Amino acid sequence: MKRSTILRVASTLFAALLAGCGGGNDGGSLPAPPPPSGALGEKLSAAAAVPANDTSTNSSSAFSVLQSNGVPAVTVAGAPVVNFTVFSDGAVKQGLTLSNMSFAIAKLVPGTNGEIDQWQSYVYRTESTANAPNNVGSGPGGTPVLASATQATTDPKPAGQAGQLVYNTEGYYTYTFSTDITDPAKTNGIVFEPGRTHRIVIQLSYKNAAGETVLVNPYYDVTFDAAGRSVPVTDLSKTRVMADVSSCNGCHDKLALHGGGRVDTQYCVMCHNPGTTDANSGNVLTMQTMVHKIHAGRLLADPSNASIGGEHYTIWGYQSSKHDYSEVGFPQDLRNCTVCHTGTNPNTPQGDNWKSRASKEACLTCHVSAPGSDWHTSHTTFASTVRPPAASAMEIPNSACVGCHSAGSTYGPDRVHWNQNEENAAKYKVNIESATFDPAARKVTVRYSLIDPTNNNAAYNLVTSDCTGAGADLKCSDTTKFGN
């Protein structure tokens, strides 16, 4: 930023402080901040006036508007430098501080040899259980399973880093990471690969004009050119979006985790990826494993079902607080994978991966693999052909899964997870057409119909039986709908 710009910002802030102390502002309220300046400022003000750009509902506008006006959303020449703006109530939101936001960055590692694509964070911390209280672990006697474990996290905001967040008078903010992602010594060994798809995301909190707190997680998928400047990813096959948070909100009202600020699954995957483990329980916290096990918690814990194994899925979270998901149950049939994952949703281009890319990380969440379980027993013989004879069936590589579990095959995920009740229920809808009361006979007559919404609302014949004969001679075809 130019010196003159810094001076303007400093003078503006000083004036605001004076006003806040009553310096000439008898009304007791702060004066309105100046609008964004310059040619770029005019463009940002115009973009802010478009309701579709409001940051509260648009996951990418915080970055994309700047990017389209020549300001790279991210530049990497060591520690990433992020440029973003916030649109709220038709204007650029000013006055935000580091307390309003946290940042994460990860790269997408394509799967090879049958493995699945995975986000990989560049920023990690270490969880130690050295001083854990009593009974905060899944080990013997309630002890922690691991002495320590690495966990992906957001970028630290050290007090000694001056100017980590700067507001530019043109109407946008610049955040500088404290983590140099080009140095593997500072990224837990993760190597920066500029040609890979990367995701930058903000955990953002601010108040709108109505005084309501807005919690949102703007994100942007990019690669980097030779100069380290971001290039937007426009080829949807180059990203990974498996589930849209709107599907989660169908049951959760509004998904809000870790204090309420993490509200989008596209943010969750930034930390819940390989390399993140709960030291107290030893459970990996990779997104697909953790979320599937949580939603199958009641099924996994059922002691009467020997084929399941009686697993109590437990995670020790913030300040060693215990979270036991043994009473959690998916409110539908667990085979209804399309509730969360479907390629027909334009927001989830990889939503159908569950059909074609079977993996242990996903499948062995509802299908427990402990010795003696149905899964272990049925795969032990097959396992001897694809892994060392002394190894467990658990060590079958993902590359072998698709051999039996390819889409459309006898044991394809789309076949074995087909829920005939759910699909066939869509073919029936009851309509109450009229209801009349005969006071003399004291009789109610109801006229109704049953139609097929999947067949132009064609009405079913509820009078003529679909079957013929009676008793032992009763015959019904395999397409019979009524009458038997």
Side-chain angles (χ1 to χ4, degrees):
M1 181 185 296
K2 295 181 180 179
R3 179 176 176 82
S4 61
T5 302
I6 296 175
L7 291 175
R8 286 199 301 273
V9 173
S11 62
T12 300
L13 291 174
F14 183 65
L17 287 172
L18 286 178
C21 295
N25 181 14
D26 296 332
S29 60
L30 294 175
S37 61
L40 176 59
E42 292 178 2
K43 292 179 180 179
L44 294 183
S45 293
V50 179
N53 285 333
D54 198 287
T55 303
S56 65
T57 56
N58 189 322
S59 293
S60 64
S61 66
F63 307 103
S64 60
V65 174
L66 280 173
Q67 183 83 36
S68 63
N69 282 286
V71 180
V74 194
T75 301
V76 176
V81 177
V82 184
N83 297 308
F84 67 100
T85 189
V86 178
F87 299 132
S88 180
D89 302 292
V92 171
K93 183 70 177 178
Q94 300 185 38
L96 299 182
T97 68
L98 284 174
S99 64
N100 294 103
M101 62 196 72
S102 294
F103 286 76
I105 187 168
K107 68 176 178 179
L108 182 62
V109 181
T112 58
N113 298 322
E115 299 301 321
I116 58 177
D117 304 341
Q118 296 275 20
W119 290 104
Q120 190 72 73
S121 176
Y122 286 104
V123 186
Y124 284 85
R125 68 182 179 191
T126 299
E127 179 191 37
S128 173
T129 58
N131 298 315
N134 294 329
N135 300 318
V136 291
S138 298
T143 58
V145 173
L146 302 172
S148 64
T150 56
Q151 298 177 344
T153 187
T154 54
D155 183 58
K157 295 177 281 189
Q161 182 172 336
Q164 189 171 16
L165 179 69
V166 176
Y167 177 72
N168 306 280
T169 56
E170 292 88 346
Y172 68 96
Y173 297 85
T174 298
Y175 174 89
T176 302
F177 270 65
S178 62
T179 306
D180 180 354
I181 70 170
T182 65
D183 183 357
K186 298 177 181 178
T187 62
N188 197 40
I190 305 302
V191 177
F192 175 59
E193 298 178 89
R196 300 282 194 202
T197 296
H198 285 67
R199 177 172 292 173
I200 184 75
V201 65
I202 315 174
Q203 181 180 329
L204 185 61
S205 170
Y206 61 90
K207 289 188 180 296
N208 61 20
E212 302 164 331
T213 298
V214 176
L215 302 173
V216 65
N217 302 148
Y219 72 94
Y220 204 47
D221 291 349
V222 300
T223 59
F224 296 96
D225 64 17
R229 296 169 303 199
S230 56
V231 178
V233 172
T234 57
D235 182 352
L236 295 181
S237 69
K238 301 297 184 182
T239 185
R240 177 178 168 85
V241 183
M242 298 286 295
D244 184 49
V245 72
S246 62
S247 299
C248 305
N249 291 340
C251 292
H252 289 276
D253 187 24
K254 182 171 184 178
L255 190 70
L257 302 165
H258 297 286
R262 301 175 193 181
V263 295
D264 196 321
T265 51
Q266 306 318 312
Y267 180 24
C268 300
V269 297
M270 303 295 282
C271 292
H272 291 280
N273 51 52
T276 295
T277 303
D278 173 31
N280 291 291
S281 67
N283 287 321
V284 297
L285 302 180
T286 307
M287 188 71 172
Q288 60 268 39
T289 299
M290 181 188 71
V291 173
H292 284 183
K293 278 187 174 288
I294 287 174
H295 286 89
R298 186 183 302 155
L299 171 69
L300 299 178
D302 185 358
S304 66
N305 194 338
S307 67
I308 296 300
E311 175 187 0
H312 288 257
Y313 187 66
T314 304
I315 296 173
W316 273 264
Y318 180 66
Q319 294 185 339
S320 297
S321 55
K322 183 178 181 180
H323 302 272
D324 188 339
Y325 297 98
S326 302
E327 293 300 320
V328 175
F330 189 54
Q332 300 188 35
D333 191 305
L334 273 172
R335 294 173 297 173
N336 288 351
C337 302
T338 55
V339 172
C340 299
H341 306 295
T342 173
T344 61
N345 183 345
N347 294 324
T348 55
Q350 285 73 41
D352 282 343
N353 277 15
W354 66 274
K355 299 179 182 179
S356 57
R357 303 189 68 175
S359 71
K360 293 187 295 183
E361 290 83 357
C363 300
L364 299 186
T365 50
C366 298
H367 302 282
V368 173
S369 58
S373 66
D374 282 355
W375 186 91
H376 191 276
T377 302
S378 62
H379 286 75
T380 296
T381 302
F382 170 74
S384 64
T385 66
V386 294
R387 49 81 171 149
S392 165
M394 260 293 289
E395 297 182 53
I396 296 176
N398 281 337
S399 58
C401 297
V402 73
C404 293
H405 302 290
S406 59
S409 65
T410 301
Y411 298 107
D414 54 329
R415 293 287 298 275
V416 297
H417 291 103
W418 176 58
N419 185 339
Q420 59 269 37
N421 292 335
E422 184 77 12
E423 183 170 320
N424 289 334
K427 299 178 180 180
Y428 303 96
K429 181 182 179 182
V430 177
N431 300 301
I432 304 296
E433 298 179 357
S434 65
T436 57
F437 175 62
D438 182 348
R442 299 186 60 79
K443 180 174 68 174
V444 175
T445 301
V446 178
R447 180 181 176 86
Y448 67 97
S449 64
L450 189 65
I451 62 174
D452 182 358
T454 67
N455 185 27
N456 296 318
N457 292 326
Y460 291 107
N461 186 340
L462 302 181
V463 178
T464 305
S465 174
D466 289 341
C467 301
T468 59
D473 295 325
L474 181 67
K475 295 181 180 179
C476 303
S477 72
D478 58 5
T479 60
T480 292
K481 301 177 182 64
F482 304 103
N484 58 346

